[in-house]
Amino acid sequence: MAGRLSAAPRPPDYTGGSLVNLAAELEHRLAGTSPAPPLHPELASLIPAAASYVLVIFDGLGDGQLGHPAARPLAAARQAALDTVFPTTTTVALASLATGRPPSQHGLLGYQLWMPEAGVVVNTLKWRSLWGDPVELDYEQVLPAPNLWERLAAAGVEPITVQPAGFAGTPLSRVLYRGCRFEPAYTMRELADAAAELAATPGRLVLAYVPHVDVAAHMDGQDSAEYAEALSAAAAVWERIVARLPSGAALIGCADHGHVDFPAADQVRIARPDHDGRTFYGDQRAMFVRGDGAVLATRLPARWEPLAGIVDWWGPPPRHPEFTARAPDGVLLASPGRILLHRFSDDGQIGHHGGLSAAERRVPLLVGPAVRPEPAG
């Protein structure tokens, strides 16, 4: 049953080709500086100069997913592809956007994260233990200060996020959007209109978040009618913002990770006896292990990567003060076509991510058509 990856995994390019660098590029343009390097010049040249920027994050929309017929409006806007972060998962990527820093520096290292200060592995989407108990933390202080929003505000730039209204006040929103104006939207039409209207004022960064693709890919898979409908809804948001984008504003689209379908036959559950003396967390495609993971790789379809050899997958130093305490001893990187489930893992989903395959790691860079400023007078 043991397996090996066909090739050495490629970590994200944090020097200028990743989601972190996209955040840094926008910060550099609006505020004049950024803690991370901006985009490589050839990528930066694809984004027009503007007085305000709208950044739309399509959760779960990998670059390879733009070939679906329902994604044609998004594919038409694609200019390039970027890497997301490691692991390729929502909370880690959104924390990188919120801070403008790689995971090594912001400290949110995985979807499921061992946090010694809480004494449990924390589900960082819901901020609960793996068995559902609330985790009491000072959510606003989970990410380091100043974050991206606070640095922009200090430079005279107004950061605004437009989100589905149900996310207002949740622990995750409190973690991610400290210092950022939160505008709730009750429909996707309302979200698109608000994002465009807010960008009419110069000196703003407007982040719009669209969750549909990720939800449908997880629950129904990429061959489903639900997934096609979700792609259509995402494309409609993009087209509506394009149609209403004010002069002087630029529109950019990206994603936090891609998706791969794994039917039940491809899902491998770690045996209960193998949980003794070990703590499992991370993602199903990149299973973090505190304890001996090397022996497990001899009987699981996975490659064991000790921490010392992969520490830079989370990004360069300086590392977050809690990096060492939260990091695993190593990662079981699931073989192509397989996922790993520990005893608390959800086995009811089809779509997964977290690993470093191109389908999971590569996300599209979308750029809306340039809107020229109206002539004076």
Side-chain angles (χ1 to χ4, degrees):
M1 191 175 185
R4 294 293 180 190
L5 298 182
S6 56
R10 185 173 81 72
D13 174 14
Y14 296 113
T15 67
S18 76
L19 187 64
V20 176
N21 309 111
L22 175 59
E25 179 71 31
L26 297 178
E27 182 179 3
H28 192 82
R29 292 186 184 202
L30 290 166
T33 186
S34 58
L39 290 170
H40 294 310
E42 66 274 16
L43 293 170
S45 68
L46 300 172
I47 300 174
S52 286
Y53 291 89
V54 177
L55 174 59
V56 184
I57 295 296
F58 296 100
D59 197 331
L61 181 66
D63 189 54
Q65 294 160 236
L66 294 182
H68 193 288
R72 285 196 187 105
L74 301 172
R78 180 195 181 276
Q79 296 295 314
L82 304 175
D83 290 333
T84 185
V85 297
F86 175 80
T88 53
T89 197
T90 298
T91 55
V92 182
L94 292 184
S96 287
L97 279 176
T99 60
R101 297 179 183 274
S104 58
Q105 297 176 23
H106 64 62
L108 208 166
L109 306 181
Y111 154 56
Q112 295 176 347
L113 180 61
W114 166 246
M115 300 186 75
E117 61 268 45
V120 294
V121 173
V122 178
N123 176 322
T124 62
L125 274 176
K126 300 178 179 179
W127 292 91
R128 291 179 173 269
S129 71
L130 299 188
W131 47 90
D133 290 341
V135 175
E136 296 301 328
L137 292 169
D138 187 352
Y139 300 122
E140 285 82 0
Q141 303 307 314
V142 168
L143 295 178
N147 63 16
L148 172 62
W149 321 123
E150 292 163 335
R151 293 193 302 271
L152 288 175
V157 177
E158 184 178 16
I160 306 171
T161 185
V162 186
Q163 305 258 346
F167 297 147
T170 63
L172 181 59
S173 291
R174 291 165 63 188
V175 168
L176 295 175
Y177 300 111
R178 182 188 70 227
C180 186
R181 174 178 161 189
F182 191 104
E183 287 290 332
Y186 293 89
T187 66
M188 284 297 103
R189 184 186 185 100
E190 188 176 307
L191 181 143
D193 289 349
E197 291 167 9
L198 288 165
T201 299
R204 283 178 170 173
L205 175 59
V206 181
L207 172 67
Y209 174 72
V210 180
H212 299 63
V213 175
D214 184 67
V215 174
H218 272 303
M219 302 310 299
D220 302 296
Q222 295 179 44
D223 293 329
S224 67
E226 291 84 356
Y227 177 76
E229 183 179 349
L231 278 175
S232 295
V237 169
W238 180 262
E239 291 185 304
R240 191 168 181 86
I241 297 176
V242 166
R244 287 157 177 76
L245 193 69
S247 61
L251 173 61
I252 306 156
C254 201
D256 51 351
H257 58 78
H259 261 275
V260 180
D261 284 357
F262 294 90
D266 298 331
Q267 302 179 15
V268 178
R269 186 167 289 278
I270 298 169
R272 284 297 293 265
D274 286 334
H275 286 70
D276 294 341
R278 300 181 178 91
T279 301
F280 296 99
Y281 54 116
D283 285 271
Q284 289 94 331
R285 290 278 295 148
M287 184 69 70
F288 296 4
V289 185
R290 291 181 71 86
D292 179 12
V295 68
L296 297 182
T298 66
R299 54 181 182 267
L300 290 172
R303 172 183 186 142
W304 175 244
E305 298 284 357
L307 179 64
I310 64 171
V311 67
D312 289 336
W313 286 7
W314 285 273
R319 306 200 190 284
H320 188 275
E322 297 300 320
F323 181 91
T324 300
R326 296 173 181 175
D329 292 316
V331 174
L332 284 168
L333 205 60
S335 298
R338 294 300 185 95
I339 62 168
L340 305 176
L341 305 174
H342 59 65
R343 60 179 173 171
F344 295 111
S345 296
D346 181 357
D347 60 1
Q349 297 184 348
I350 296 173
H352 293 272
H353 48 83
L356 285 172
S357 71
E360 298 160 277
R361 188 188 76 250
R362 299 294 277 169
V363 293
L365 176 63
L366 314 179
V367 181
V371 179
R372 298 182 180 278
E374 296 178 1

